[in-house]
Amino acid sequence: MRLATLRDGSREGALVVVAKAGDRRAAAAAVAPTLQRALDTWERSRDGLEALARRLEADAEFGEPLDVNELAAPLPRAYEWVDGSAYTNHVRLVRKARGAEPPADLLTNPLVYQGGSSVLLGPSEPIALGDPAWGLDFEAEIAVVLGDVARGTRAAEAERCVRLAMVANAVTYRGLVPAELAKGFGFFQSKPATAFAPFAVTPDELGAAWRGGRLFMRLRSTLNGVVVGDTETGPEMHFSFADLVEHIARTRAFSAGTVLGSGTVSNAAPERGVSCLVERRALETIQHGAPLTAYLKNGDRIRIELFDERGNSPCGAIDQLVTA
Amino acid sequence: MRLATLRDGSREGALVVVAKAGDRRAAAAAVAPTLQRALDTWERSRDGLEALARRLEADAEFGEPLDVNELAAPLPRAYEWVDGSAYTNHVRLVRKARGAEPPADLLTNPLVYQGGSSVLLGPSEPIALGDPAWGLDFEAEIAVVLGDVARGTRAAEAERCVRLAMVANAVTYRGLVPAELAKGFGFFQSKPATAFAPFAVTPDELGAAWRGGRLFMRLRSTLNGVVVGDTETGPEMHFSFADLVEHIARTRAFSAGTVLGSGTVSNAAPERGVSCLVERRALETIQHGAPLTAYLKNGDRIRIELFDERGNSPCGAIDQLVTA
């Protein structure tokens, strides 16, 4: 099933179940008023939400018309946002461009950082440009929403912690990254609020495209109407979401509603394009000695959308305007 | 006033107002069922909570007896936990012990990291030792709970964002820190769940001890009944909480309920002792060439408590057992 959060003036918004066609929504208040509450009570709420989803398919008169512009992020705020860097091509490229080696344990030790989660942007909320020297970039990613995760959870048991899949734009101020990383304490100021596509979908809704703790679809990034990336999300995700769960749960537990990101989707084949501008700049630097592509500027529009093999869009589109 | 959260089997617990004597509590459900809800609606809920606090003082029969063992962390989970390192003596000492210079901009550029916040420990919840080689340490800190913070909030306006003060134990696996910092992505695995003292208090309750965005009291850390630190929390907090808010809000906004930590309270005068073991080990290394103090072991008991000049304990005590 597909879940979304309707902006209703409250901080958490109102949980709705969305028809497969994406044209209608059913209020889920009787089951769980918010997505967080549904996740907190998943064993009880799941059946009720699925019943609403079935009724939306069976009865074309059921529910209300859906306007994606009325939707917030599925979780307008979350108790944790942990972002990985599971596509090792991205790490290799970015390091190569600055003349650095990738970490020696790149293939065995996942890179993750803890991001801010009290303000998460909806699919069409504008991105603040900030100081143009901060070098605003998008980052198209897959993310999952977890149920409760016990400390010490191993990868083999971790896949059952995955409740929902989402698409994220983990916006980054590239110009602020070097100083933050030099401090060693993480990306703090270089990571403004992350945005999410409108629909959060259960793994069963994704069918065979969800397997081995990875999502096998295409993630398309379009800048001002021009496709800049049409990347495969599955084959090159070196660490699965299950691997990432094992990594983050080594020393602590996580509450239901934790959002876990894949890191920028990145493919080695150059014809697949990029899911962030810094990668294109890295390729340009490797080829020409300097980047040619500029970072985002006022008025730019970035669209990020996941597609299955039949061209369906399970999570809907992120479509954000950059504003000064 | 003083607020606390009663463990009631729910994820958020039940908000209670606590009498000044710490012996009684009044259920706040009619005003706000949880502390997060109170923070979300502070302009409306504050008066109702204060009325309960006044009634607890006026009527010795009002409320229920308080048992601190029934209390969770004031926020059993929070939307963000951001921890600073505002006591520069701590940074200088730890770096000196490993032969490193403090950062050149130590006095102008705050160090902060984003911590995990979906599972926060109550005052008497045990600390998991984990692998003894991980080097478990406590860190006694002051923390504040913020109201909504707009992006770009400046220090001069930030103090009005402070809703509550708390005491934290930002537990750290010292042995995991170097590898995490080498990755540059933050402390991730080296920071298990943080614990909090039972009472969250409004700044007005702290009187003149709360000024200039700092708390001026004594923070006492006791390990297995022996005082290891009795530190001044005010004079050496180089960056105030207002400064820290300006720093973290440079590129993004924060929702009400964000918890912001001071970092380990640390005084230059050695007779004040330490608020974490790594500092004592640093002093030993500087003096003797090697640390003598061991990290925490199974069965150790760490107690952390804030005292005002009359010996009152506004936040109550953290009292945690280390368990294998």
Side-chain angles (χ1 to χ4, degrees), chain A residues 22-300:
Chain A
D23 58 339
R24 277 170 304 124
R25 58 175 165 85
V31 181
T34 66
L35 180 51
Q36 182 62 49
R37 189 76 67 86
L39 293 160
D40 284 344
T41 60
W42 194 248
E43 295 310 314
R44 291 202 302 278
S45 62
R46 184 181 182 145
D47 285 352
L49 297 173
E50 283 178 343
L52 289 170
R54 280 193 302 272
R55 195 167 160 201
L56 277 168
E57 300 314 312
D59 177 359
E61 302 296 305
F62 181 59
E64 311 285 330
L66 177 76
D67 176 356
V68 289
N69 295 312
E70 294 176 337
L71 298 179
L75 287 168
R77 54 185 183 177
Y79 287 108
E80 308 218 13
W81 158 235
V82 179
D83 199 8
S85 194
Y87 296 85
T88 50
N89 185 62
H90 174 76
V91 182
R92 282 203 190 87
L93 255 187
V94 173
R95 302 236 176 170
K96 189 172 174 187
R98 62 170 200 251
E101 288 296 312
D105 57 358
L106 178 70
L107 298 180
T108 54
N109 190 353
L111 287 163
V112 299
Y113 72 92
Q114 185 96 31
S117 54
S118 73
V119 175
L120 301 176
L121 300 183
S124 52
E125 281 188 77
I127 309 173
L129 178 65
D131 183 332
W134 292 351
L136 181 70
D137 197 0
F138 68 96
E139 285 196 45
E141 307 194 358
I142 308 299
V144 295
V145 183
L146 302 174
D148 289 308
V149 176
R151 176 186 164 112
T153 295
R154 304 305 298 261
E157 8 162 17
E159 205 178 320
R160 78 183 68 144
C161 300
V162 174
R163 296 277 173 271
L164 300 163
M166 303 195 296
V167 170
N169 180 11
V171 181
T172 304
Y173 290 121
R174 298 291 176 195
L176 300 182
V177 169
E180 287 290 35
L181 291 195
K183 290 165 93 171
F185 276 36
F187 290 94
F188 208 93
Q189 289 186 333
S190 62
K191 289 284 185 182
T194 299
F196 290 87
F199 311 134
V201 302
T202 49
D204 64 327
E205 180 85 11
L206 300 164
W210 175 261
R211 58 182 190 271
R214 295 172 179 83
L215 183 59
F216 288 77
M217 288 193 183
R218 285 287 187 85
L219 189 61
R220 186 179 299 163
S221 299
T222 308
L223 178 58
N224 299 325
V226 178
V227 175
V228 294
D230 191 9
T231 50
E232 297 274 5
T233 62
E236 295 177 59
M237 187 178 178
H238 180 74
F239 298 105
S240 72
F241 282 109
D243 297 331
L244 295 177
V245 168
E246 173 172 315
H247 181 80
I248 67 172
R250 186 179 178 209
T251 57
R252 61 184 165 99
F254 293 80
S255 166
T258 293
V259 183
L260 175 61
S262 67
T264 309
V265 177
S266 178
N267 294 164
E271 60 271 25
R272 296 253 64 86
V274 294
S275 301
C276 62
L277 294 176
V278 77
E279 247 184 60
R280 185 189 263 190
R281 289 167 58 96
L283 287 163
E284 292 164 349
T285 301
I286 294 163
Q287 279 195 296
H288 309 292
L292 307 171
T293 300
Y295 285 121
L296 298 173
K297 61 185 187 307
N298 186 31
D300 278 348

Side-chain angles (χ1 to χ4, degrees), chain B residues 157-168:
Chain B
E157 10 163 15
E159 206 179 318
R160 78 183 69 144
C161 299
V162 174
R163 297 275 174 273
L164 299 163
M166 303 195 294
V167 170

Side-chain angles (χ1 to χ4, degrees), chain A residues 11-12 40 77 79-80 109-110 114 116-118 148 151 173 181 183-184 188-189 247 250-251 255, chain B residues 11-12 40 77 79-80 109-110 114 117-118 148 151 173 181 183-184 188-189 247 250-252 255:
Chain A
R11 290 175 182 268
E12 318 285 349
D40 284 344
R77 54 185 183 177
Y79 287 108
E80 308 218 13
N109 190 353
Q114 185 96 31
S117 54
S118 73
D148 289 308
R151 176 186 164 112
Y173 290 121
L181 291 195
K183 290 165 93 171
F188 208 93
Q189 289 186 333
H247 181 80
R250 186 179 178 209
T251 57
S255 166
Chain B
R11 289 174 182 269
E12 317 286 347
D40 285 343
R77 55 184 183 177
Y79 287 107
E80 309 217 14
N109 190 354
Q114 186 96 32
S117 55
S118 73
D148 290 308
R151 177 185 163 112
Y173 290 122
L181 291 195
K183 290 165 92 172
F188 208 92
Q189 290 185 334
H247 180 80
R250 185 179 179 209
T251 57
R252 61 184 165 100
S255 165

